[in-house]
Amino acid sequence: MKDYDYSIKYTKTEEIALKECNKIEKIRSRLFCLGLIGSYSNCSSFGSASIRYNKNKNSFVITGKDTGEFPKLNANYYSFIKKVEFNKQKMFCVGPNKPSSEWLIHSYLYNLNMQIKAVIVVNNEKIWDVMYSNESLKVDYDNLDKKDILEELYENVDPFLNNSFIIDGNDFSLVTFGKTLSEAEKTLYNIIKKVLKH
């Protein structure tokens, strides 16, 4: 995803939130094997996963920047986003690695509903095409800098009954989320099953 006009305050630290990193890694490694997280021939990465760090805050642990090429990640490849100030367009993060370039869509979801505890972003042209043709929920890539874009999307829609959407105009990106990482992953696999029957 492109860089938006956010001021990113990154502080390099040692490994952080090992428990959360390990939870993400169990799912992230499966998604890598399915080709849903990876890297393109030009070495740019796609796909990311995150988990809310504190149930009462919008801080979260996310896969690191430019890690798509690696089948497995240890905690050195993760980042911790402490805070996002949407009105000031500032983001504060720490860890041994900078966060995935998809961090902004993750932060929007954690800000949308406190019950959202996990987010997965993957890329797949076939899945994206089927979802698009079935008129799935979608957001415009060029509008991702609007902090209320997901509030508008889910204004009249229950997010937990419609916990997936596509990003129109960005490398066939599909987003799922849930109250747990397992729920976000299950939603993704249910979508894949429908695509295989299509």
Side-chain angles (χ1 to χ4, degrees), residues 11-43:
T11 303
K12 189 175 181 65
T13 65
E14 298 296 321
E15 294 179 346
I16 41 86
L18 294 178
K19 181 180 177 182
E20 284 74 15
C21 293
N22 290 335
K23 285 181 179 179
I24 296 171
E25 186 55 28
K26 288 178 182 178
I27 288 173
R28 190 260 179 203
S29 59
R30 289 195 288 267
L31 299 177
F32 180 90
C33 290
L34 292 170
L36 298 172
I37 286 178
S39 61
Y40 298 111
S41 56
N42 64 2
C43 296

PDB file of all heavy atoms in Angstrom, residues 11-43:
ATOM      1  N   THR A  11      10.586   3.813  17.258  1.00  0.00           N
ATOM      2  CA  THR A  11      11.701   3.615  18.176  1.00  0.00           C
ATOM      3  C   THR A  11      12.125   2.154  18.114  1.00  0.00           C
ATOM      4  O   THR A  11      11.325   1.261  18.401  1.00  0.00           O
ATOM      5  CB  THR A  11      11.303   3.958  19.630  1.00  0.00           C
ATOM      6  OG1 THR A  11      10.834   5.316  19.675  1.00  0.00           O
ATOM      7  CG2 THR A  11      12.494   3.803  20.557  1.00  0.00           C
ATOM      8  N   LYS A  12      13.347   1.914  17.705  1.00  0.00           N
ATOM      9  CA  LYS A  12      13.842   0.534  17.579  1.00  0.00           C
ATOM     10  C   LYS A  12      14.109  -0.034  18.967  1.00  0.00           C
ATOM     11  O   LYS A  12      14.800   0.582  19.777  1.00  0.00           O
ATOM     12  CB  LYS A  12      15.104   0.502  16.732  1.00  0.00           C
ATOM     13  CG  LYS A  12      15.561  -0.903  16.359  1.00  0.00           C
ATOM     14  CD  LYS A  12      16.738  -0.838  15.409  1.00  0.00           C
ATOM     15  CE  LYS A  12      17.208  -2.225  15.007  1.00  0.00           C
ATOM     16  NZ  LYS A  12      16.209  -2.976  14.236  1.00  0.00           N
ATOM     17  N   THR A  13      13.531  -1.206  19.229  1.00  0.00           N
ATOM     18  CA  THR A  13      13.714  -1.867  20.525  1.00  0.00           C
ATOM     19  C   THR A  13      13.992  -3.351  20.306  1.00  0.00           C
ATOM     20  O   THR A  13      13.992  -3.840  19.169  1.00  0.00           O
ATOM     21  CB  THR A  13      12.455  -1.716  21.403  1.00  0.00           C
ATOM     22  OG1 THR A  13      11.370  -2.425  20.776  1.00  0.00           O
ATOM     23  CG2 THR A  13      12.070  -0.260  21.590  1.00  0.00           C
ATOM     24  N   GLU A  14      14.170  -4.067  21.386  1.00  0.00           N
ATOM     25  CA  GLU A  14      14.342  -5.516  21.329  1.00  0.00           C
ATOM     26  C   GLU A  14      12.984  -6.169  21.045  1.00  0.00           C
ATOM     27  O   GLU A  14      11.972  -5.494  20.869  1.00  0.00           O
ATOM     28  CB  GLU A  14      14.911  -6.030  22.654  1.00  0.00           C
ATOM     29  CG  GLU A  14      16.290  -5.466  22.996  1.00  0.00           C
ATOM     30  CD  GLU A  14      17.348  -5.889  21.986  1.00  0.00           C
ATOM     31  OE1 GLU A  14      17.294  -7.055  21.534  1.00  0.00           O
ATOM     32  OE2 GLU A  14      18.211  -5.062  21.654  1.00  0.00           O
ATOM     33  N   GLU A  15      12.969  -7.496  21.032  1.00  0.00           N
ATOM     34  CA  GLU A  15      11.726  -8.242  20.804  1.00  0.00           C
ATOM     35  C   GLU A  15      10.623  -7.761  21.740  1.00  0.00           C
ATOM     36  O   GLU A  15      10.864  -7.456  22.903  1.00  0.00           O
ATOM     37  CB  GLU A  15      11.961  -9.736  21.034  1.00  0.00           C
ATOM     38  CG  GLU A  15      12.895 -10.379  20.035  1.00  0.00           C
ATOM     39  CD  GLU A  15      13.110 -11.850  20.339  1.00  0.00           C
ATOM     40  OE1 GLU A  15      12.765 -12.296  21.451  1.00  0.00           O
ATOM     41  OE2 GLU A  15      13.616 -12.563  19.467  1.00  0.00           O
ATOM     42  N   ILE A  16       9.410  -7.711  21.201  1.00  0.00           N
ATOM     43  CA  ILE A  16       8.277  -7.238  21.999  1.00  0.00           C
ATOM     44  C   ILE A  16       7.097  -8.208  21.886  1.00  0.00           C
ATOM     45  O   ILE A  16       6.940  -8.919  20.897  1.00  0.00           O
ATOM     46  CB  ILE A  16       7.813  -5.833  21.540  1.00  0.00           C
ATOM     47  CG1 ILE A  16       7.840  -5.732  19.986  1.00  0.00           C
ATOM     48  CG2 ILE A  16       8.660  -4.741  22.129  1.00  0.00           C
ATOM     49  CD1 ILE A  16       6.636  -6.215  19.310  1.00  0.00           C
ATOM     50  N   ALA A  17       6.286  -8.277  22.931  1.00  0.00           N
ATOM     51  CA  ALA A  17       5.010  -9.001  22.908  1.00  0.00           C
ATOM     52  C   ALA A  17       5.138 -10.398  22.297  1.00  0.00           C
ATOM     53  O   ALA A  17       4.462 -10.736  21.333  1.00  0.00           O
ATOM     54  CB  ALA A  17       3.974  -8.183  22.155  1.00  0.00           C
ATOM     55  N   LEU A  18       6.007 -11.213  22.864  1.00  0.00           N
ATOM     56  CA  LEU A  18       6.287 -12.540  22.310  1.00  0.00           C
ATOM     57  C   LEU A  18       5.035 -13.403  22.214  1.00  0.00           C
ATOM     58  O   LEU A  18       4.849 -14.132  21.231  1.00  0.00           O
ATOM     59  CB  LEU A  18       7.339 -13.256  23.161  1.00  0.00           C
ATOM     60  CG  LEU A  18       8.739 -12.643  23.165  1.00  0.00           C
ATOM     61  CD1 LEU A  18       9.656 -13.436  24.091  1.00  0.00           C
ATOM     62  CD2 LEU A  18       9.307 -12.616  21.759  1.00  0.00           C
ATOM     63  N   LYS A  19       4.174 -13.328  23.204  1.00  0.00           N
ATOM     64  CA  LYS A  19       2.944 -14.124  23.201  1.00  0.00           C
ATOM     65  C   LYS A  19       2.082 -13.788  21.997  1.00  0.00           C
ATOM     66  O   LYS A  19       1.589 -14.686  21.290  1.00  0.00           O
ATOM     67  CB  LYS A  19       2.173 -13.875  24.493  1.00  0.00           C
ATOM     68  CG  LYS A  19       0.886 -14.661  24.615  1.00  0.00           C
ATOM     69  CD  LYS A  19       0.192 -14.346  25.941  1.00  0.00           C
ATOM     70  CE  LYS A  19      -1.145 -15.065  26.064  1.00  0.00           C
ATOM     71  NZ  LYS A  19      -1.830 -14.703  27.331  1.00  0.00           N
ATOM     72  N   GLU A  20       1.920 -12.490  21.729  1.00  0.00           N
ATOM     73  CA  GLU A  20       1.101 -12.060  20.593  1.00  0.00           C
ATOM     74  C   GLU A  20       1.771 -12.412  19.263  1.00  0.00           C
ATOM     75  O   GLU A  20       1.113 -12.843  18.314  1.00  0.00           O
ATOM     76  CB  GLU A  20       0.840 -10.549  20.669  1.00  0.00           C
ATOM     77  CG  GLU A  20      -0.197 -10.136  21.695  1.00  0.00           C
ATOM     78  CD  GLU A  20       0.302 -10.225  23.135  1.00  0.00           C
ATOM     79  OE1 GLU A  20       1.523 -10.333  23.350  1.00  0.00           O
ATOM     80  OE2 GLU A  20      -0.544 -10.189  24.050  1.00  0.00           O
ATOM     81  N   CYS A  21       3.089 -12.243  19.201  1.00  0.00           N
ATOM     82  CA  CYS A  21       3.823 -12.607  17.972  1.00  0.00           C
ATOM     83  C   CYS A  21       3.630 -14.085  17.645  1.00  0.00           C
ATOM     84  O   CYS A  21       3.417 -14.458  16.485  1.00  0.00           O
ATOM     85  CB  CYS A  21       5.309 -12.299  18.134  1.00  0.00           C
ATOM     86  SG  CYS A  21       5.709 -10.543  18.260  1.00  0.00           S
ATOM     87  N   ASN A  22       3.708 -14.930  18.652  1.00  0.00           N
ATOM     88  CA  ASN A  22       3.559 -16.370  18.446  1.00  0.00           C
ATOM     89  C   ASN A  22       2.153 -16.731  17.985  1.00  0.00           C
ATOM     90  O   ASN A  22       1.971 -17.628  17.153  1.00  0.00           O
ATOM     91  CB  ASN A  22       3.904 -17.127  19.725  1.00  0.00           C
ATOM     92  CG  ASN A  22       5.392 -17.072  20.043  1.00  0.00           C
ATOM     93  OD1 ASN A  22       6.217 -16.900  19.155  1.00  0.00           O
ATOM     94  ND2 ASN A  22       5.739 -17.202  21.321  1.00  0.00           N
ATOM     95  N   LYS A  23       1.149 -16.050  18.529  1.00  0.00           N
ATOM     96  CA  LYS A  23      -0.230 -16.290  18.102  1.00  0.00           C
ATOM     97  C   LYS A  23      -0.413 -15.943  16.626  1.00  0.00           C
ATOM     98  O   LYS A  23      -1.020 -16.695  15.861  1.00  0.00           O
ATOM     99  CB  LYS A  23      -1.197 -15.459  18.947  1.00  0.00           C
ATOM    100  CG  LYS A  23      -1.423 -15.972  20.344  1.00  0.00           C
ATOM    101  CD  LYS A  23      -2.427 -15.084  21.074  1.00  0.00           C
ATOM    102  CE  LYS A  23      -2.695 -15.581  22.487  1.00  0.00           C
ATOM    103  NZ  LYS A  23      -3.649 -14.691  23.200  1.00  0.00           N
ATOM    104  N   ILE A  24       0.124 -14.801  16.239  1.00  0.00           N
ATOM    105  CA  ILE A  24       0.012 -14.381  14.836  1.00  0.00           C
ATOM    106  C   ILE A  24       0.764 -15.349  13.938  1.00  0.00           C
ATOM    107  O   ILE A  24       0.276 -15.735  12.871  1.00  0.00           O
ATOM    108  CB  ILE A  24       0.562 -12.954  14.648  1.00  0.00           C
ATOM    109  CG1 ILE A  24      -0.281 -11.946  15.422  1.00  0.00           C
ATOM    110  CG2 ILE A  24       0.584 -12.575  13.164  1.00  0.00           C
ATOM    111  CD1 ILE A  24       0.315 -10.542  15.464  1.00  0.00           C
ATOM    112  N   GLU A  25       1.947 -15.760  14.376  1.00  0.00           N
ATOM    113  CA  GLU A  25       2.800 -16.580  13.524  1.00  0.00           C
ATOM    114  C   GLU A  25       2.162 -17.919  13.160  1.00  0.00           C
ATOM    115  O   GLU A  25       2.344 -18.421  12.045  1.00  0.00           O
ATOM    116  CB  GLU A  25       4.156 -16.799  14.208  1.00  0.00           C
ATOM    117  CG  GLU A  25       5.174 -17.531  13.348  1.00  0.00           C
ATOM    118  CD  GLU A  25       5.407 -16.858  12.004  1.00  0.00           C
ATOM    119  OE1 GLU A  25       5.242 -15.639  11.892  1.00  0.00           O
ATOM    120  OE2 GLU A  25       5.755 -17.580  11.046  1.00  0.00           O
ATOM    121  N   LYS A  26       1.391 -18.505  14.061  1.00  0.00           N
ATOM    122  CA  LYS A  26       0.723 -19.774  13.771  1.00  0.00           C
ATOM    123  C   LYS A  26      -0.178 -19.643  12.552  1.00  0.00           C
ATOM    124  O   LYS A  26      -0.259 -20.550  11.714  1.00  0.00           O
ATOM    125  CB  LYS A  26      -0.097 -20.227  14.983  1.00  0.00           C
ATOM    126  CG  LYS A  26       0.747 -20.715  16.146  1.00  0.00           C
ATOM    127  CD  LYS A  26      -0.129 -21.106  17.323  1.00  0.00           C
ATOM    128  CE  LYS A  26       0.707 -21.558  18.505  1.00  0.00           C
ATOM    129  NZ  LYS A  26      -0.119 -21.902  19.684  1.00  0.00           N
ATOM    130  N   ILE A  27      -0.857 -18.530  12.459  1.00  0.00           N
ATOM    131  CA  ILE A  27      -1.777 -18.301  11.342  1.00  0.00           C
ATOM    132  C   ILE A  27      -1.041 -17.747  10.134  1.00  0.00           C
ATOM    133  O   ILE A  27      -1.271 -18.168   9.007  1.00  0.00           O
ATOM    134  CB  ILE A  27      -2.909 -17.358  11.792  1.00  0.00           C
ATOM    135  CG1 ILE A  27      -3.844 -18.112  12.742  1.00  0.00           C
ATOM    136  CG2 ILE A  27      -3.674 -16.788  10.604  1.00  0.00           C
ATOM    137  CD1 ILE A  27      -4.900 -17.277  13.396  1.00  0.00           C
ATOM    138  N   ARG A  28      -0.115 -16.848  10.371  1.00  0.00           N
ATOM    139  CA  ARG A  28       0.619 -16.218   9.277  1.00  0.00           C
ATOM    140  C   ARG A  28       1.379 -17.258   8.444  1.00  0.00           C
ATOM    141  O   ARG A  28       1.422 -17.177   7.216  1.00  0.00           O
ATOM    142  CB  ARG A  28       1.574 -15.176   9.865  1.00  0.00           C
ATOM    143  CG  ARG A  28       2.233 -14.273   8.819  1.00  0.00           C
ATOM    144  CD  ARG A  28       3.630 -14.729   8.525  1.00  0.00           C
ATOM    145  NE  ARG A  28       4.275 -13.903   7.521  1.00  0.00           N
ATOM    146  CZ  ARG A  28       5.281 -14.313   6.771  1.00  0.00           C
ATOM    147  NH1 ARG A  28       5.771 -15.547   6.909  1.00  0.00           N
ATOM    148  NH2 ARG A  28       5.817 -13.520   5.869  1.00  0.00           N
ATOM    149  N   SER A  29       1.966 -18.259   9.106  1.00  0.00           N
ATOM    150  CA  SER A  29       2.718 -19.288   8.381  1.00  0.00           C
ATOM    151  C   SER A  29       1.804 -20.110   7.472  1.00  0.00           C
ATOM    152  O   SER A  29       2.203 -20.508   6.369  1.00  0.00           O
ATOM    153  CB  SER A  29       3.467 -20.200   9.350  1.00  0.00           C
ATOM    154  OG  SER A  29       2.575 -20.844  10.235  1.00  0.00           O
ATOM    155  N   ARG A  30       0.561 -20.347   7.903  1.00  0.00           N
ATOM    156  CA  ARG A  30      -0.397 -21.068   7.049  1.00  0.00           C
ATOM    157  C   ARG A  30      -0.776 -20.219   5.837  1.00  0.00           C
ATOM    158  O   ARG A  30      -0.884 -20.736   4.713  1.00  0.00           O
ATOM    159  CB  ARG A  30      -1.648 -21.439   7.852  1.00  0.00           C
ATOM    160  CG  ARG A  30      -1.427 -22.518   8.876  1.00  0.00           C
ATOM    161  CD  ARG A  30      -2.718 -23.108   9.397  1.00  0.00           C
ATOM    162  NE  ARG A  30      -3.456 -22.215  10.272  1.00  0.00           N
ATOM    163  CZ  ARG A  30      -3.339 -22.207  11.593  1.00  0.00           C
ATOM    164  NH1 ARG A  30      -2.471 -23.013  12.193  1.00  0.00           N
ATOM    165  NH2 ARG A  30      -4.076 -21.393  12.330  1.00  0.00           N
ATOM    166  N   LEU A  31      -0.985 -18.954   6.060  1.00  0.00           N
ATOM    167  CA  LEU A  31      -1.357 -18.060   4.962  1.00  0.00           C
ATOM    168  C   LEU A  31      -0.220 -17.931   3.948  1.00  0.00           C
ATOM    169  O   LEU A  31      -0.459 -17.830   2.742  1.00  0.00           O
ATOM    170  CB  LEU A  31      -1.740 -16.684   5.506  1.00  0.00           C
ATOM    171  CG  LEU A  31      -2.937 -16.658   6.462  1.00  0.00           C
ATOM    172  CD1 LEU A  31      -3.177 -15.246   6.981  1.00  0.00           C
ATOM    173  CD2 LEU A  31      -4.193 -17.198   5.787  1.00  0.00           C
ATOM    174  N   PHE A  32       1.007 -17.967   4.443  1.00  0.00           N
ATOM    175  CA  PHE A  32       2.169 -17.937   3.544  1.00  0.00           C
ATOM    176  C   PHE A  32       2.174 -19.177   2.651  1.00  0.00           C
ATOM    177  O   PHE A  32       2.403 -19.092   1.440  1.00  0.00           O
ATOM    178  CB  PHE A  32       3.468 -17.841   4.333  1.00  0.00           C
ATOM    179  CG  PHE A  32       4.692 -17.804   3.461  1.00  0.00           C
ATOM    180  CD1 PHE A  32       5.206 -16.597   3.015  1.00  0.00           C
ATOM    181  CD2 PHE A  32       5.321 -18.981   3.065  1.00  0.00           C
ATOM    182  CE1 PHE A  32       6.326 -16.561   2.189  1.00  0.00           C
ATOM    183  CE2 PHE A  32       6.440 -18.959   2.239  1.00  0.00           C
ATOM    184  CZ  PHE A  32       6.946 -17.741   1.806  1.00  0.00           C
ATOM    185  N   CYS A  33       1.936 -20.346   3.252  1.00  0.00           N
ATOM    186  CA  CYS A  33       1.928 -21.605   2.495  1.00  0.00           C
ATOM    187  C   CYS A  33       0.855 -21.603   1.413  1.00  0.00           C
ATOM    188  O   CYS A  33       1.010 -22.242   0.360  1.00  0.00           O
ATOM    189  CB  CYS A  33       1.726 -22.785   3.429  1.00  0.00           C
ATOM    190  SG  CYS A  33       3.133 -23.125   4.501  1.00  0.00           S
ATOM    191  N   LEU A  34      -0.237 -20.881   1.655  1.00  0.00           N
ATOM    192  CA  LEU A  34      -1.327 -20.789   0.674  1.00  0.00           C
ATOM    193  C   LEU A  34      -1.079 -19.701  -0.370  1.00  0.00           C
ATOM    194  O   LEU A  34      -1.880 -19.524  -1.283  1.00  0.00           O
ATOM    195  CB  LEU A  34      -2.655 -20.513   1.389  1.00  0.00           C
ATOM    196  CG  LEU A  34      -3.190 -21.651   2.260  1.00  0.00           C
ATOM    197  CD1 LEU A  34      -4.374 -21.163   3.099  1.00  0.00           C
ATOM    198  CD2 LEU A  34      -3.602 -22.841   1.396  1.00  0.00           C
ATOM    199  N   GLY A  35       0.021 -18.977  -0.231  1.00  0.00           N
ATOM    200  CA  GLY A  35       0.335 -17.907  -1.183  1.00  0.00           C
ATOM    201  C   GLY A  35      -0.483 -16.645  -0.977  1.00  0.00           C
ATOM    202  O   GLY A  35      -0.505 -15.766  -1.849  1.00  0.00           O
ATOM    203  N   LEU A  36      -1.132 -16.535   0.179  1.00  0.00           N
ATOM    204  CA  LEU A  36      -1.972 -15.367   0.456  1.00  0.00           C
ATOM    205  C   LEU A  36      -1.179 -14.243   1.105  1.00  0.00           C
ATOM    206  O   LEU A  36      -1.607 -13.095   1.126  1.00  0.00           O
ATOM    207  CB  LEU A  36      -3.142 -15.774   1.360  1.00  0.00           C
ATOM    208  CG  LEU A  36      -4.089 -16.808   0.742  1.00  0.00           C
ATOM    209  CD1 LEU A  36      -5.098 -17.297   1.779  1.00  0.00           C
ATOM    210  CD2 LEU A  36      -4.815 -16.225  -0.465  1.00  0.00           C
ATOM    211  N   ILE A  37      -0.034 -14.578   1.660  1.00  0.00           N
ATOM    212  CA  ILE A  37       0.957 -13.616   2.127  1.00  0.00           C
ATOM    213  C   ILE A  37       2.257 -13.980   1.435  1.00  0.00           C
ATOM    214  O   ILE A  37       2.601 -15.157   1.323  1.00  0.00           O
ATOM    215  CB  ILE A  37       1.127 -13.675   3.660  1.00  0.00           C
ATOM    216  CG1 ILE A  37      -0.078 -13.041   4.356  1.00  0.00           C
ATOM    217  CG2 ILE A  37       2.409 -12.989   4.098  1.00  0.00           C
ATOM    218  CD1 ILE A  37      -0.027 -13.094   5.874  1.00  0.00           C
ATOM    219  N   GLY A  38       2.971 -12.995   0.922  1.00  0.00           N
ATOM    220  CA  GLY A  38       4.200 -13.301   0.197  1.00  0.00           C
ATOM    221  C   GLY A  38       4.842 -12.052  -0.362  1.00  0.00           C
ATOM    222  O   GLY A  38       4.691 -10.957   0.185  1.00  0.00           O
ATOM    223  N   SER A  39       5.552 -12.224  -1.475  1.00  0.00           N
ATOM    224  CA  SER A  39       6.198 -11.082  -2.116  1.00  0.00           C
ATOM    225  C   SER A  39       6.140 -11.250  -3.624  1.00  0.00           C
ATOM    226  O   SER A  39       6.066 -12.368  -4.143  1.00  0.00           O
ATOM    227  CB  SER A  39       7.653 -10.938  -1.655  1.00  0.00           C
ATOM    228  OG  SER A  39       8.399 -12.094  -1.998  1.00  0.00           O
ATOM    229  N   TYR A  40       6.159 -10.125  -4.319  1.00  0.00           N
ATOM    230  CA  TYR A  40       6.124 -10.115  -5.777  1.00  0.00           C
ATOM    231  C   TYR A  40       7.543 -10.240  -6.334  1.00  0.00           C
ATOM    232  O   TYR A  40       8.525 -10.199  -5.592  1.00  0.00           O
ATOM    233  CB  TYR A  40       5.479  -8.822  -6.275  1.00  0.00           C
ATOM    234  CG  TYR A  40       4.040  -8.660  -5.845  1.00  0.00           C
ATOM    235  CD1 TYR A  40       3.683  -7.670  -4.915  1.00  0.00           C
ATOM    236  CD2 TYR A  40       3.030  -9.463  -6.364  1.00  0.00           C
ATOM    237  CE1 TYR A  40       2.362  -7.508  -4.522  1.00  0.00           C
ATOM    238  CE2 TYR A  40       1.711  -9.312  -5.980  1.00  0.00           C
ATOM    239  CZ  TYR A  40       1.379  -8.335  -5.057  1.00  0.00           C
ATOM    240  OH  TYR A  40       0.079  -8.178  -4.670  1.00  0.00           O
ATOM    241  N   SER A  41       7.637 -10.376  -7.655  1.00  0.00           N
ATOM    242  CA  SER A  41       8.944 -10.520  -8.295  1.00  0.00           C
ATOM    243  C   SER A  41       9.825  -9.289  -8.084  1.00  0.00           C
ATOM    244  O   SER A  41      11.051  -9.374  -8.153  1.00  0.00           O
ATOM    245  CB  SER A  41       8.766 -10.781  -9.799  1.00  0.00           C
ATOM    246  OG  SER A  41       8.000  -9.757 -10.394  1.00  0.00           O
ATOM    247  N   ASN A  42       9.188  -8.133  -7.843  1.00  0.00           N
ATOM    248  CA  ASN A  42       9.974  -6.921  -7.586  1.00  0.00           C
ATOM    249  C   ASN A  42      10.372  -6.796  -6.115  1.00  0.00           C
ATOM    250  O   ASN A  42      10.856  -5.757  -5.677  1.00  0.00           O
ATOM    251  CB  ASN A  42       9.205  -5.675  -8.026  1.00  0.00           C
ATOM    252  CG  ASN A  42       7.932  -5.457  -7.230  1.00  0.00           C
ATOM    253  OD1 ASN A  42       7.626  -6.209  -6.307  1.00  0.00           O
ATOM    254  ND2 ASN A  42       7.186  -4.427  -7.592  1.00  0.00           N
ATOM    255  N   CYS A  43      10.108  -7.875  -5.337  1.00  0.00           N
ATOM    256  CA  CYS A  43      10.472  -7.986  -3.921  1.00  0.00           C
ATOM    257  C   CYS A  43       9.560  -7.208  -2.976  1.00  0.00           C
ATOM    258  O   CYS A  43       9.793  -7.210  -1.764  1.00  0.00           O
ATOM    259  CB  CYS A  43      11.932  -7.564  -3.681  1.00  0.00           C
ATOM    260  SG  CYS A  43      13.108  -8.651  -4.508  1.00  0.00           S
TER     261      CYS A  43
END
